[in-house]
Amino acid sequence: MKNNLLLKLSIGLGLLTIIRIIVAASVPLSPDEAYYWVWSRHLDFSFYDHPPMIGLWIKAGCLLWGNTELGVRFLGSLAAFIGSFFIFFAVKDFNNHQSDSDQKALIAVLLLNATLTVGVGAIIMTPDTPLLFFVCTLLWGCGRLFYTKSVQWWWFIGASAGLALLSKYTAILLIMALGLWCLISQEGRSYLKKKELWGGAVLASAIFSPVIFWNSQHQWISLLKQGGRTTDWNPSRALQFLSELLGGQIGLSTPIIFICFCIGIVSLTKTIWHKKFSSCALLLWLMIIVPICVFIQHAVGDRVQANWVGLLYPVLVVIAGLYVTQWLKTAIIIGFSVISLVYIQVLFAILPLPAKKNILLKQLGGWQTFAQSVNSAVPSDRVIISDNYGLASELRFYLPKRQIIVVGDRWKYFNLPVGYTMKGYYIRKQNNKESSFLSVDENGYFAPTYNPLGYPPRGKIERQQYDQIAQIYELYNVDLNPRLATIGESKQLPN
């Protein structure tokens, strides 16, 4: 029975993975994906926005499939496949391999793959993609620890925690929950006396240490950029931010799966409240409550991006698999139906959505043809300049033979060649319906010109797909301020 179920699950997930790979290979990169691809072309110990794991994954994928959409996204599709099995076996361990463990494990896997977070994350590469994978391995390591009682699993838990942190800083929330469990549970306190736990902690720290080193050499910019958000305080908009947070999770999990998640949290909380819980149940509860408290606290001061909560989804499906018995079939069917619709819309745009509300169009539409239009509009002997990291990265990806210069404060933290070329064509999004002059004083990027109004527009280029305009851009023939190269805020994107 067990082997038959695993075989069926493997075949089902394998077919799903093939579909995801086809979609991933067929859709243009989003601006953020192109930006992370730039990271992979010039790897470093860490980066301005995130730790380096996303760059490493993209590098590995491109070594297999070249600098293509599939190369950038391949490991995301593969990780969703492999991570599903880590969840399957984690649930069995958390359920102590009771007779219904296979069924509960299967439900957890199906729920995970039926969420938009994983369904979209398997075809779009972001830092959340490796993060979710290593959360899955972390849960499996914890399950193994509970079931086998072997302290050697602390080494695996430490490695998973370090790799999760190397993917995205929010992994610290689950590590905090694990640390709290070690302090307040009897089983956890018993492990504090074991060298394996501390060895795992040292291993996690060693894996994450390159990020600390990089930050120490760059004014702690990445840690301050991400960690500084916790100090925001804007209670007058707390209700709006909390509503957005709730709505985002209903959307990313799909509505019925969200209900299942809520039922699971409530059921587990009741178990904790009545003190009828096991040590592993307490850990699962803390892995949800600690991050939720942090997200709610942050929502009092600023917007919580919906994808930040994604690291909880592997934990939530484990809880749902163990504690939820209602709505499951409906949730899974609706979840996969929504994902299928998203895939079809991405590929064929069958729903006539208004351009202003079409997120897929805004992020993914028409980048290849747009890049060729830019290539034709800019003389071959002139460089292309942009201060928008996503736009510049898209042009770098789809115009590999052109020289692309990026300007802006963030680029001084990148170990890229300095862009000494001062003359070129600057491209930006059109802010008004009519083309406008480019002010010399705008961001301090440009050298003075004879025209008091600034640089005149040299044309506009539309990015569109299926006759829908995603964005209009303006071109300007400019001279850059030489100061940018001196202070490292003008860089050349690697070919």
Side-chain angles (χ1 to χ4, degrees), residues 381-417:
D381 61 341
R382 303 301 292 271
V383 301
I384 301 171
I385 303 168
S386 179
D387 63 342
N388 182 299
Y389 69 85
L391 173 58
S393 300
E394 291 278 9
L395 294 173
R396 172 74 291 151
F397 186 82
Y398 289 110
L399 297 177
K401 295 182 179 180
R402 295 301 299 259
Q403 186 177 358
I404 310 292
I405 298 291
V406 287
V407 295
D409 179 75
R410 74 170 56 228
W411 295 104
K412 65 185 178 184
Y413 300 106
F414 284 75
N415 186 24
L416 295 171

Side-chain angles (χ1 to χ4, degrees), residues 250-423:
I250 293 173
L252 287 180
S253 60
T254 69
I256 309 302
I257 293 180
F258 179 79
I259 292 174
C260 292
F261 285 169
C262 292
I263 294 173
I265 293 173
V266 170
S267 298
L268 179 57
T269 301
K270 286 181 178 179
T271 301
I272 300 294
W273 180 261
H274 294 295
K275 299 181 180 180
K276 298 179 181 179
F277 59 91
S278 62
S279 184
C280 60
L282 178 61
L283 177 60
L284 290 173
W285 186 75
L286 289 172
M287 282 184 164
I288 294 299
I289 296 303
V290 170
I292 285 178
C293 288
V294 172
F295 290 138
I296 290 176
Q297 179 274 328
H298 183 81
V300 174
D302 198 2
R303 181 171 286 107
V304 176
Q305 300 298 326
N307 65 292
W308 295 356
V309 188
L311 88 161
L312 300 185
Y313 281 35
V315 185
L316 286 167
V317 299
V318 170
I319 293 172
L322 293 172
Y323 292 94
V324 179
T325 58
Q326 306 173 46
W327 299 90
L328 294 170
K329 184 176 181 180
T330 302
I332 292 168
I333 292 174
I334 292 178
F336 278 114
S337 298
V338 171
I339 291 172
S340 299
L341 182 60
V342 170
Y343 287 178
I344 293 171
Q345 181 69 14
V346 166
L347 291 173
F348 306 110
I350 61 172
L351 297 179
L353 301 175
K356 291 183 178 180
K357 297 182 179 180
N358 193 337
I359 298 176
L360 296 177
L361 174 68
K362 291 288 187 184
Q363 289 292 314
L364 305 173
W367 282 109
Q368 300 105 314
T369 54
F370 166 74
Q372 295 308 315
S373 297
V374 174
N375 189 47
S376 300
V378 178
S380 59
D381 61 341
R382 303 301 292 271
V383 301
I384 301 171
I385 303 168
S386 179
D387 63 342
N388 182 299
Y389 69 85
L391 173 58
S393 300
E394 291 278 9
L395 294 173
R396 172 74 291 151
F397 186 82
Y398 289 110
L399 297 177
K401 295 182 179 180
R402 295 301 299 259
Q403 186 177 358
I404 310 292
I405 298 291
V406 287
V407 295
D409 179 75
R410 74 170 56 228
W411 295 104
K412 65 185 178 184
Y413 300 106
F414 284 75
N415 186 24
L416 295 171
V418 174
Y420 288 109
T421 304
M422 294 293 105
K423 294 180 179 292

Side-chain angles (χ1 to χ4, degrees), residues 89-299:
F89 291 111
V91 172
K92 288 170 65 70
D93 283 341
F94 277 105
N95 199 47
N96 204 30
H97 287 252
Q98 298 180 37
S99 59
D100 60 349
S101 292
D102 283 347
Q103 180 182 359
K104 291 179 179 294
L106 178 62
I107 287 170
V109 170
L110 292 176
L111 284 173
L112 181 66
N113 284 275
T115 64
L116 274 178
T117 291
V118 172
V120 174
I123 65 167
I124 301 292
M125 181 64 83
T126 72
D128 295 293
T129 306
L131 171 64
L132 261 65
F133 175 77
F134 291 119
V135 172
C136 292
T137 67
L138 176 65
L139 286 169
W140 182 64
C142 291
R144 290 275 79 192
L145 177 69
F146 288 124
Y147 183 69
T148 65
K149 305 301 180 183
S150 171
V151 294
Q152 299 302 323
W153 283 103
W154 279 111
W155 294 101
F156 185 86
I157 292 170
S160 296
L163 292 168
L165 265 179
L166 208 62
S167 303
K168 198 171 181 180
Y169 294 123
T170 49
I172 192 65
L173 300 176
L174 296 182
I175 297 172
M176 288 167 55
L178 182 60
L180 184 59
W181 174 83
C182 288
L183 293 175
I184 68 175
S185 69
Q186 183 176 353
E187 182 176 352
R189 288 194 296 272
S190 70
Y191 288 126
L192 292 175
K193 304 174 185 177
K194 305 295 184 180
K195 64 179 183 298
E196 289 81 3
L197 180 148
W198 297 105
V202 171
L203 178 59
S205 301
I207 291 172
F208 186 64
S209 62
V211 178
I212 300 297
F213 172 77
W214 183 92
N215 272 274
S216 70
Q217 302 299 305
H218 294 85
Q219 298 83 51
W220 305 99
I221 186 63
S222 184
L223 291 173
L224 289 174
K225 178 178 182 290
Q226 301 296 342
R229 292 170 171 171
T230 60
T231 61
D232 294 330
W233 182 251
N234 191 6
S236 62
R237 299 184 64 188
L239 185 59
Q240 173 195 339
F241 294 146
L242 288 169
S243 299
E244 291 175 356
L245 173 60
L246 180 63
Q249 299 321 301
I250 293 173
L252 287 180
S253 60
T254 69
I256 309 302
I257 293 180
F258 179 79
I259 292 174
C260 292
F261 285 169
C262 292
I263 294 173
I265 293 173
V266 170
S267 298
L268 179 57
T269 301
K270 286 181 178 179
T271 301
I272 300 294
W273 180 261
H274 294 295
K275 299 181 180 180
K276 298 179 181 179
F277 59 91
S278 62
S279 184
C280 60
L282 178 61
L283 177 60
L284 290 173
W285 186 75
L286 289 172
M287 282 184 164
I288 294 299
I289 296 303
V290 170
I292 285 178
C293 288
V294 172
F295 290 138
I296 290 176
Q297 179 274 328
H298 183 81

Side-chain angles (χ1 to χ4, degrees), residues 70-83:
L70 179 58
V72 171
R73 295 164 171 161
F74 178 72
L75 258 62
S77 299
L78 185 63
F81 175 79
I82 298 174

